[in-house]
Amino acid sequence: MRSIELTAPAKINFRLDVLRRRPDGYHDLRMIMQRIDLCDRLSIALTDEPGIRVTCGREGVPDGPGNIAWRAASVLLELSGKPGGVGIDIVKNIPVAAGLGGGSSDCATVLAGLNDLLELGLSSEMLMEIGVGLGADVPFFLYGQTAIAEGIGERLSPVTVPAGIWLVLVNPNVPVSTAWVYQNLQLTKRDEEPILPCFYGSINDICTVLGNDLESVTIPRYPVIAEIKKRLLGAGARAALMSGSGPTVFGIFDDEAAARAASGILAENGQWFVVPTRTL
Ligand code: ATP
């Protein structure tokens, strides 16, 4: 096998708690992470020509070594010790710098794809260990199921949620730097850290646990996020929350018809990226 076509899904956070700042500058987090059916498409090929080529063609996403997919390919190619190179073409459908983990997902997809193509036989644990050095959300995408993620995102445990929950994603087309958000976060002392349940039998159950500590940084800087939340609720969402460091907001809906109707209403704005999607 010389080439492979794969999808790289986006994620949302049903919950994101920032627990504490660590001496290394990172933050200890506790998140409920969910993959969704909005995907980049990657073609990954082994080439006779040495070196790594990544093309994406999306403004704001570098083509060369600055691309996280390039870095993933570089690590595995070097580990393989094989001659030749790798070519990666990315069709970017996931908004960039949007709190949807698009870069991390591309990275995880390249790690898994090249593990096969280069016949490396690395276990998922080994891929996850390599992945966390490249991006905090990479282990989650390799894990491949809904999870509670702790530490910087590398400690994962499974969570059960209803299948195929309908969502509407709304992104106001302003990129938000994750680093900026964490730099501006004012941590308040938490009284306790109640254990997050790992079983959610209904949409109602999920709505009771929703929360994102990073809204306190991103919303004051981008008030349009609060406006989007209000508009989603007005259009029938059961709940609406910012994902990751933002600015993308997701609304949770009872069914496909409700999600599509709301999506039509929100899209009337004309300036926002609006898409109905489902959880994976
Ligand atoms: P996170 O919440 O994990 O920080 P995000 O969804 O907010 O992720 P990404 O879309 O992953 O953000 O992109 C963050 C930055 O990474 C962008 O500024 C972009 O230039 C850079 N980047 C590098 N490679 C990629 C890639 N393959 N896809 C998207 N962005 C990439």
Side-chain angles (χ1 to χ4, degrees):
M1 191 173 46
R2 300 279 298 171
S3 70
I4 193 166
E5 308 263 327
L6 295 169
T7 53
K11 61 84 182 163
I12 55 163
N13 301 91
F14 283 132
R15 173 89 173 215
L16 194 161
D17 296 333
V18 183
L19 302 181
R20 62 191 77 82
R21 197 178 150 83
R22 304 167 15 147
D24 63 8
Y26 286 97
H27 291 83
D28 273 325
L29 307 174
R30 187 177 60 164
M31 305 179 278
I32 301 178
M33 303 187 74
Q34 170 69 56
R35 293 171 311 141
I36 58 172
D37 190 18
L38 169 68
C39 301
D40 290 344
R41 306 192 76 82
L42 278 75
S43 314
I44 308 169
L46 299 184
T47 59
D48 294 330
E49 202 178 301
I52 300 163
R53 180 190 53 80
V54 175
T55 59
C56 180
R58 166 68 82 92
E59 195 188 330
V61 182
D63 273 350
N67 197 299
I68 190 169
W70 190 100
R71 297 201 289 278
S74 167
V75 174
L76 288 205
L77 195 57
E78 194 171 321
L79 254 181
S80 78
K82 294 191 178 166
V86 173
I88 301 170
D89 294 309
I90 304 174
V91 177
K92 197 90 201 137
N93 298 315
I94 305 172
V96 176
L100 297 172
S104 295
S105 187
D106 292 350
C107 178
T109 300
V110 170
L111 290 176
L114 279 181
N115 188 36
D116 284 351
L117 283 177
L118 293 166
E119 297 172 337
L120 292 170
L122 299 172
S123 65
S124 12
E125 288 73 25
M126 286 157 95
L127 289 176
M128 282 154 87
E129 220 174 293
I130 294 170
V132 75
L134 297 167
D137 290 341
V138 179
F140 162 71
F141 286 109
L142 289 162
Y143 194 63
Q145 59 181 307
T146 308
I148 292 180
E150 293 171 284
I152 61 166
E154 81 288 9
R155 290 206 313 274
L156 296 155
S157 50
V159 173
T160 303
V161 296
I165 299 170
W166 277 94
L167 308 168
V168 174
L169 299 187
V170 185
N171 178 289
N173 284 315
V174 282
V176 170
S177 152
T178 303
W180 175 85
V181 173
Y182 280 102
Q183 278 156 19
N184 286 278
L185 178 68
Q186 306 287 329
L187 276 180
T188 48
K189 197 156 165 42
R190 307 178 84 94
D191 297 338
E192 59 186 293
E193 291 158 19
I195 304 249
L196 283 179
C198 59
F199 179 86
Y200 300 87
S202 66
I203 290 180
N204 270 347
D205 286 353
I206 290 175
C207 288
T208 61
V209 83
L210 294 178
N212 183 344
D213 284 349
L214 301 180
E215 285 192 336
S216 68
V217 182
T218 315
I219 294 183
R221 173 71 181 80
Y222 302 99
V224 66
I225 296 167
E227 167 71 14
I228 291 171
K229 289 180 73 171
K230 211 167 87 189
R231 296 278 298 277
L232 277 166
L233 294 171
R238 295 284 292 277
L241 188 72
M242 188 181 85
S243 181
S245 47
T248 306
V249 177
F250 62 91
I252 299 182
F253 290 83
D254 283 324
D255 52 39
E256 177 173 4
R260 291 199 184 280
S263 179
I265 294 168
L266 273 284
E268 282 169 15
N269 168 287
Q271 316 257 312
W272 300 338
F273 169 89
V274 181
V275 68
T277 185
R278 299 182 84 177
T279 58
L280 289 175

